[in-house]
Amino acid sequence: MADIRYLAPRTLDEAIGAFAAAGSAARILAGGTDLLVQVRSGIVKPGVIVDIKKISEMTEIAETADGGFRIGAAASGMALAEHPRFGKVWPGVLEAVNLIGSKQVQGRASAGGNLCNGSPAGDSVPAMIAAGAIVTVQGPDGRREMKVEEVPAGPGRTNLKPGEILVSFVLPPRAPGSGDAYLRMIPRTEMDIAVVGLGVSLTLENGVCTAARVGLGAVAPTALLVEAAGAALIGSKLDDAALEKAAEACRSACRPIDDKRGTIAYRVKTAGVLLKRTAAIAAQRATGK
Amino acid sequence: MNLVTNNKWIGQRTIRPDGMDKVTGRAQFAADTTMPGMIWGKVLRSPHPHARIRGIDTSKAEKLAGVKAVVTSRDIVDFTIEKGAVMLGIQDMRWMCRNVMARDKALFPGHPVAAVAATTEAIAAEACKLIEVDYEVLPWSIEIEDAILPDAPILHEFNRWEGKPSNIMSRIEHKKGDLTEGFASADIVIERTFTTRPVHQGYIEPHACLISVAPDGKTTIWSSSQGQFMVRAMTSMLTGIPQSDIRAIPAEIGGGFGGKTIVYLEPLATMLAKKSGRPVKMVMTREEVMRATGPTSGSRSTVKIGVKKDGTITAAHGTFYLQAGAFPGSPIRGAAGCSFTPYDIPNLLSEGFDVCSNRSKVAAYRAPGAPIGAYAVECVMDEVAGALKMDPLDFRLKNAAKQGTKAAHGPTFPRIGYIETVEAAKSSPHYAAPLGEADKTSGKVRGRGVASGFWFNAGGESSAQVNITEDGNVVVTTGHPDIGGSRAGIANICAELLGIDYRRVSVIIGDTQTIGFSNLTGGSRVLFASSMVVTQSAEKVIQTLRERAAKIWNIDPEAVKWEQGAAHPVSPNAGQFEPLTLKELAEKAPAMGGPIGAGVQLNTQGADGGFGTHICDVEIDTELGIARVIRYTAVQDVGRAIHPGYVEGQLQGGVAQGIGWALNEEYIYTREGKVDNPGFLDYRMPVCSDLPMLDCIMVEVPNPKHPQGVKGVGEVPLVPVMAAVANAIHNALGLRFYSLPMSPPKVSAALDAGVRQAAE
Ligand SMILES: Cc1cc2nc3c(=O)[nH]c(=O)nc-3n(C[C@H](O)[C@H](O)[C@H](O)COP(=O)(O)OP(=O)(O)OC[C@H]3O[C@@H](n4cnc5c(N)ncnc54)[C@H](O)[C@@H]3O)c2cc1C
């Protein structure tokens, strides 16, 4: 029943100061599409809410000098969709972010919130892992960088330290012949939560795969980088044998649970099916077809 | 029958009277109402599936600052079990009083045990936590197979079945001919068992009410329901306040589908308001709706059908076990009574068993029980047609019920439209179209299925008042909440009868103290019943108008006719007069005998049953087990489509709900017996993008006992859907599913197991 204090600082330093000072009772607010739902249902009872959307760095989307992208942690899905270049370079990351919720949700929801919420089923996370995104976090002890797959710690938990805020994602420059894609299995066609989500990013040179990363969601306590799946594709022409090997790597990476959203057997099988389908789309994009 | 031909407004897609308010957000739903001094009520609910309540201590809650009243079962009128049934419609008040507030036992997780009113919702919720309930936790069962075991935990100790305590509360049977003989004369007999899961009506608007009890006892209820008179009567019976002191005002309703034909909050809010002296508002959360309001039954059905080689059905036997939830009253009548009704079957036994178990009490859901029964029967019909190598629609035609067929549930049919629906399905563009190629590279396959269905439909009590305003327009008041566009239908009919533009007719829903008794919006009765009383009222008004014109012209009223909104002499012989319009007659009313208006109240009779036949195409992603409906056509005998747009809306809505029931919707329970998916994220109703455009073919076989030929249309369209989808999936995969929902993990597992259809 206690009141909630709402702060909307204009600078990152102010935000970190306020966030760190308030301790465990504080929550960062980006789009609020997870946080406000959790507050309403009584799962979290924050004493202080620090809204980070007024900090320009947090909502910025910038193409870096080397051709990479820096995305503010609180940039909305809609802002990312409207960026003239981002979707051309990272169509898979964009489609993953844009799968979150509906149009209304897209106006608010951010990739940063999706990652920091810590859901194993967050849609943008496997795509970001496949893309090799590096995140910048800042806290009372300063800035540091982490691989995106190192951020989730388990359902609802992250490896951010107390008082740390996720600032941005950096996606590396793209080699020619690269493509990425994200697919999720949901029983409906939208407004649903991934039973399995899978992102692939790869590079083809003369038909041969020279780089590949696979991110897998909703089949373990955190989204996973499936290195063996990437390795199975690298050096191949994405032939059936290589794809089956990569699919098998995804299936064996699964450590799912049986729950209301799907059975263990179904999730494991689906991970393999999605690997093949997602890799095919990424390859198509890589070759510009 | 005086069926109006050459209609100007009947059959037109006019703009609905409530449309503008709804799309601009002006419409007042129950949760939109507010009053000065209003406080908030919250319900404390049992966490246990089954527990004896040894005591309740509310003292700490009462002491919390801001708390204004606390109620428990002591504040609700007790209808004791020994005194026998006290029926209100189909509800026994013995169960209603125990459902709104647990008495000696809590029977499901979510069962109310106390309620609090406080100055804020948060304080009310906090106070609920301070109430101490001394529970003796008891063993429980939820699924039918567990609840009917000989050693199952018994919910209602007084009940005996075959002499022993049991959760089987009652049995219904419909019988015709000689079953043994019938099956003996069959060449092919197929018997299958099916299960379905409980599914919720899924109305968007949670239950809500605002109630004020004045110091003199006068009570005003604003609430969302399918019947303000039901709200008044049940609240009166459960609180002891006479009906004459309760004014129940129907709010706009955000969906009900049967689920709002009983009360949950109103008796509690009334007692909280009475005790506190303050208006009390209560609004359920979605979670409360899912845990504590009626989904329909889960079921277990066995259906056996015998046929001759030429396709004639010789005998059929259906056994339908339906979950009632915490209290008796599952819709076994719909399951046993409707499922075989499209067919002329000489030897038939259809039995229903009402089984209590520790989940929320069922509430009506669109053709209650009929979709559950039809799912089993129509799947076996498909299997039999397959065994006969007959087209499934031809097989149905061969055995179709028609005028003169004696239905097992009693009536001998008058002129009915079942055959017309099958023939229209057969000659539809959909049935003639090829399935089309699926994208085989991703393992997709397609299939088509058909199914039929029947629902009783109903008439019953209805009241209307038709008044002519001083400026010559019309106000019609009826007594049934409008859920499906009934106001638009009434406007069309009234405009037609009075010969004026439909925009001059304003249609409103009266409250309990301003319009005569009108039964629930349910049973697909509303347009049937209310248009009867509106027609009779309008005819009285027209009679008055003719008399007035006759008086002005000084001729006999019989020499005056009413046409195109004006009185005319019947012929030049009657006299040469300029027509007198409605507007002119209204202006002259004060001098000519006073206000013009008429009301009629009837217990309407003559509702004819409704039949439908559906065609469904599915595409299945065999790698992921996902079935999607890609084309769907619902054919239905609608009697007369007074407003075709809202008739189609009913058909499409029913189909959409059935597709959800078939593919994804289900109550999932935890090991502790609690609903594990009490929200729309994990209780998966279809979203728009899950469905193709749902095509409708309206067959019109007018009801001769109704002035406009109306038949109920709202419930039939849900009845055939699950079987149509299941039959399409079988056609695509060669696999039969005997349980719902046919969700991706289930379809995928079946494909992996490579199970082949037994009959093939
Ligand atoms: C109707 C609906 C549909 C949805 N559908 C999907 C879906 O399809 N797929 C999906 O993945 N999700 C879905 N979601 C969940 C949610 O929208 C996403 O997870 C979204 O990305 C969250 O972003 P946000 O900006 O709204 O986060 P918020 O709610 O603002 O934050 C989420 C959590 O992360 C923390 N946080 C946010 N930003 C930071 C930061 N910069 N640093 C540190 N901590 C931070 C917050 O404190 C909070 O705990 C849906 C939600 C709704 C309401």
Side-chain angles (χ1 to χ4, degrees):
Chain A
M1 253 192 293
D3 289 341
I4 301 174
R5 224 150 64 85
Y6 169 83
L7 305 172
R10 303 252 161 200
T11 69
L12 192 53
D13 287 341
E14 263 182 87
I16 287 163
F19 187 43
S24 63
R27 282 288 182 286
I28 297 293
L29 174 82
T33 60
D34 277 316
L35 185 67
L36 298 187
V37 175
Q38 291 159 5
V39 170
R40 272 198 78 165
S41 65
I43 297 171
V44 294
K45 294 193 170 82
V48 177
I49 284 181
V50 183
D51 185 346
I52 54 173
K53 288 192 294 296
K54 302 255 158 53
I55 305 165
S56 58
E57 187 181 0
M58 287 295 202
T59 55
E60 220 164 59
I61 303 165
E63 200 159 0
T64 53
D66 59 357
F69 275 90
R70 177 180 291 274
I71 304 165
S76 72
M78 206 60 98
L80 217 47
E82 283 171 356
H83 191 275
R85 289 262 310 142
F86 183 75
K88 295 201 173 78
V89 183
W90 293 103
V93 173
L94 182 63
E95 71 196 349
V97 173
N98 288 162
L99 273 177
I100 296 170
S102 57
K103 272 228 163 55
Q104 294 91 325
V105 172
Q106 280 290 306
R108 291 267 162 185
S110 66
N114 201 223
L115 181 63
C116 294
N117 188 53
S119 162
D123 279 307
S124 69
V125 185
M128 286 284 192
I129 291 175
I134 303 292
V135 300
T136 300
V137 301
Q138 188 169 330
D141 301 334
R143 283 200 173 205
R144 63 183 180 121
E145 291 187 340
M146 295 167 84
K147 292 175 182 164
V148 71
E149 59 268 25
E150 290 168 359
V151 176
R157 291 183 296 117
T158 69
N159 289 316
L160 299 190
K161 293 185 191 133
E164 276 187 331
I165 297 179
L166 184 80
V167 180
S168 59
F169 296 84
V170 171
L171 279 75
R174 258 345 218 154
S178 298
D180 74 330
Y182 175 79
L183 286 178
R184 64 175 180 179
M185 189 284 153
I186 52 171
R188 291 186 287 205
T189 45
E190 59 180 338
M191 299 307 287
D192 215 330
I193 185 165
V195 175
V196 180
L198 191 142
V200 172
S201 173
L202 49 74
T203 306
L204 296 176
E205 263 175 50
N206 302 321
V208 177
C209 180
T210 56
R213 286 170 65 90
V214 175
L216 183 55
V219 292
T222 65
L224 305 169
L225 170 67
V226 190
E227 279 169 299
L233 299 176
I234 295 172
S236 81
K237 293 193 152 185
L238 304 185
D239 49 283
D240 287 353
L243 287 169
E244 179 48 37
K245 209 172 152 199
E248 180 49 37
C250 288
R251 287 192 291 263
S252 24
C254 295
R255 282 172 281 127
I257 49 169
D258 261 326
D259 72 0
K260 59 192 170 190
R261 291 172 184 155
T263 58
I264 292 174
Y266 183 70
R267 286 186 148 123
V268 170
K269 178 188 169 190
T270 299
V273 174
L274 290 190
L275 179 279
K276 292 180 186 178
R277 292 185 181 182
T278 315
I281 299 169
Q284 217 173 37
R285 288 173 178 166
T287 52
K289 283 190 198 132
Chain B
M1 168 174 57
N2 77 34
L3 258 188
V4 203
T5 46
N6 293 325
N7 295 137
K8 179 149 193 221
W9 298 113
I10 290 176
Q12 293 300 312
R13 295 167 191 258
T14 54
I15 293 171
R16 64 193 291 164
D18 50 319
M20 188 68 88
D21 276 358
K22 284 189 176 149
V23 299
T24 57
R26 278 191 169 79
Q28 288 273 319
F29 295 88
D32 296 325
T33 49
T34 164
M35 269 190 93
M38 180 181 97
I39 59 174
W40 290 85
K42 276 267 167 216
V43 176
L44 175 68
R45 297 176 183 278
S46 165
H48 306 295
H50 198 185
R52 197 168 302 286
I53 299 172
R54 287 187 291 224
I56 301 181
D57 182 353
T58 59
S59 54
K60 284 190 190 134
E62 278 161 42
K63 281 187 205 117
L64 185 69
V67 170
K68 301 291 176 193
V70 179
V71 300
T72 65
S73 63
R74 281 190 302 272
D75 300 286
I76 301 294
V77 174
D78 185 10
F79 290 81
T80 57
I81 290 166
E82 307 77 55
K83 283 198 187 144
V86 179
M87 300 305 290
L88 190 87
I90 62 166
Q91 301 296 338
D92 185 334
M93 295 311 290
R94 294 179 300 170
W95 316 139
M96 282 307 305
C97 79
R98 286 167 175 73
N99 194 49
V100 300
M101 196 60 97
R103 300 197 82 84
D104 48 335
K105 287 211 290 187
L107 294 168
F108 61 95
H111 200 165
V113 292
V116 177
T119 48
T120 70
E121 262 185 295
I123 295 174
E126 192 71 24
C128 282
K129 290 191 202 131
L130 296 175
I131 296 172
E132 286 161 11
V133 185
D134 179 11
Y135 290 110
E136 177 193 344
V137 175
L138 301 170
W140 49 271
S141 62
I142 289 173
E143 305 304 334
I144 289 172
E145 24 313 6
D146 302 329
I148 61 177
L149 288 176
D151 58 349
I154 300 298
L155 275 75
H156 302 288
E157 287 88 355
F158 70 89
N159 182 57
R160 291 287 175 281
W161 187 254
E162 292 170 344
K164 296 191 201 75
S166 171
N167 292 318
I168 299 178
M169 307 305 289
S170 69
R171 174 178 176 274
I172 185 178
E173 78 165 33
H174 298 302
K175 214 172 159 178
K176 218 181 129 180
D178 183 328
L179 214 54
T180 319
E181 217 168 82
F183 281 118
S185 66
D187 297 318
I188 300 170
V189 176
I190 292 180
E191 179 175 355
R192 300 282 179 248
T193 294
F194 300 83
T195 58
T196 68
R197 304 292 303 158
V199 293
H200 199 271
Q201 295 82 346
Y203 32 84
I204 295 296
E205 180 201 25
H207 299 258
C209 66
L210 169 62
I211 297 179
S212 146
V213 182
D216 62 359
K218 293 279 189 289
T219 300
T220 310
I221 301 176
W222 290 265
S223 77
S224 165
S225 79
Q226 288 176 244
Q228 62 274 42
F229 291 92
M230 172 282 295
V231 168
R232 181 177 72 175
M234 284 199 180
T235 305
S236 167
M237 292 171 101
L238 295 172
T239 62
I241 300 172
Q243 290 191 16
S244 52
D245 279 356
I246 302 177
R247 180 175 183 192
I249 301 174
E252 286 294 342
I253 174 170
F257 311 106
K260 291 179 184 164
T261 54
I262 59 177
V263 292
Y264 297 95
L265 299 176
E266 287 89 339
L268 311 184
T270 301
M271 291 315 293
L272 288 170
K274 195 172 165 183
K275 278 188 147 180
S276 66
R278 304 270 291 265
V280 173
K281 181 163 175 171
M282 297 180 87
V283 180
M284 281 196 199
T285 62
R286 177 66 52 193
E287 186 175 335
E288 288 180 292
V289 171
M290 297 300 285
R291 291 198 192 285
T293 73
T296 192
S297 309
S299 70
R300 182 178 193 81
S301 310
T302 300
V303 166
K304 180 177 174 185
I305 295 178
V307 284
K308 289 227 176 272
K309 282 202 189 89
D310 71 352
T312 312
I313 301 177
T314 59
H317 181 193
T319 314
F320 307 97
Y321 284 86
L322 268 62
Q323 260 176 336
F327 298 99
S330 66
I332 49 178
R333 184 177 152 267
C338 294
S339 311
F340 294 102
T341 305
Y343 311 111
D344 186 356
I345 303 174
N347 306 295
L348 178 69
L349 177 61
S350 190
E351 310 171 78
F353 293 87
D354 187 28
V355 183
C356 275
S357 71
N358 297 103
R359 44 143 279 192
S360 50
K361 166 182 160 53
V362 294
Y365 180 19
R366 229 169 174 159
I372 291 172
Y375 162 59
V377 170
E378 294 293 312
C379 284
V380 177
M381 287 292 288
D382 201 59
E383 218 169 317
V384 173
L388 289 164
K389 302 206 164 35
M390 243 177 124
D391 173 274
L393 291 179
D394 286 336
F395 175 48
R396 285 174 172 82
L397 275 180
K398 184 156 184 78
N399 295 286
K402 50 187 166 296
Q403 186 163 10
T405 301
K406 170 122 176 62
H409 68 274
T412 300
F413 284 127
R415 171 88 171 84
I416 55 171
Y418 175 55
I419 287 176
E420 284 83 348
T421 69
V422 184
E423 281 171 346
K426 255 190 93 175
S427 59
S428 67
H430 184 168
Y431 207 59
L435 264 172
E437 280 296 304
D439 175 8
K440 290 215 182 65
T441 55
S442 56
K444 293 198 171 126
V445 294
R446 292 183 176 184
R448 176 171 295 164
V450 299
S452 293
F454 166 81
W455 175 247
F456 306 117
N457 289 334
E461 300 90 340
S462 197
S463 303
Q465 175 73 30
V466 174
N467 287 336
I468 306 302
T469 57
E470 298 95 292
D471 61 354
N473 294 311
V474 185
V475 177
V476 183
T477 308
T478 67
H480 311 279
D482 173 2
I483 309 188
S486 56
R487 275 170 291 191
I490 291 294
N492 282 4
I493 287 172
C494 222
E496 190 75 50
L497 293 169
L498 287 164
I500 57 174
D501 190 291
Y502 83 96
R503 280 161 287 229
R504 289 174 61 191
V505 183
S506 166
V507 187
I508 62 158
I509 315 298
D511 66 58
T512 52
Q513 317 310 72
T514 60
I515 186 72
F517 178 75
S518 300
N519 213 322
L520 287 166
T521 296
S524 298
R525 71 155 56 86
V526 167
L527 194 64
F528 170 85
S530 61
S531 63
M532 268 193 179
V533 284
V534 166
T535 298
Q536 293 192 15
S537 305
E539 282 168 350
K540 286 189 176 185
V541 164
I542 290 168
Q543 177 62 24
T544 306
L545 292 165
R546 287 168 58 218
E547 283 165 9
R548 298 276 167 100
K551 212 164 160 188
I552 291 166
W553 292 333
N554 202 16
I555 62 175
D556 192 83
E558 292 309 305
V560 180
K561 64 178 178 184
W562 187 262
E563 258 176 31
Q564 297 185 353
H568 304 259
V570 281
S571 68
N573 293 345
Q576 293 281 357
F577 302 105
E578 281 301 300
L580 277 165
T581 64
L582 183 59
K583 196 167 170 3
E584 288 161 343
L585 287 167
E587 274 165 10
K588 295 181 200 300
M592 301 301 301
I596 305 169
V600 168
Q601 299 180 273
L602 281 179
N603 187 0
T604 64
Q605 307 293 323
D608 274 353
F611 294 89
T613 298
H614 292 190
I615 312 166
C616 172
D617 291 358
V618 294
E619 181 171 284
I620 296 158
D621 177 337
T622 55
E623 291 176 348
L624 296 178
I626 301 172
R628 298 241 187 271
V629 174
I630 55 169
R631 186 168 183 182
Y632 202 101
T633 303
V635 186
Q636 190 171 318
D637 169 20
V638 302
R640 181 88 173 90
I642 301 298
H643 190 302
Y646 300 127
V647 174
E648 285 167 356
Q650 290 294 316
L651 269 53
Q652 291 166 329
V655 172
Q657 289 185 310
I659 291 172
W661 195 339
L663 295 180
N664 281 307
E665 288 179 43
E666 63 176 316
Y667 267 48
I668 301 169
Y669 292 91
T670 64
R671 273 195 216 104
E672 294 74 40
K674 281 184 153 184
V675 179
D676 197 19
N677 55 340
F680 285 146
L681 178 56
D682 289 304
Y683 180 83
R684 293 189 165 95
M685 298 181 69
V687 295
C688 268
S689 54
D690 291 342
L691 304 171
M693 186 62 194
L694 302 168
D695 295 320
C696 302
I697 298 177
M698 295 180 283
V699 174
E700 293 191 319
V701 179
N703 176 355
K705 285 159 289 186
H706 188 276
Q708 286 84 25
V710 168
K711 286 177 184 167
V713 300
E715 289 168 290
V716 176
L718 178 55
V719 182
V721 187
M722 287 95 78
V725 176
N727 293 340
I729 291 179
H730 166 259
N731 182 247
L733 298 178
L735 279 180
R736 280 218 181 260
F737 289 87
Y738 295 104
S739 66
L740 297 182
M742 295 172 285
S743 59
K746 190 188 284 177
V747 171
S748 171
L751 282 165
D752 286 350
V755 184
R756 286 286 154 238
Q757 182 188 358
E760 274 178 5

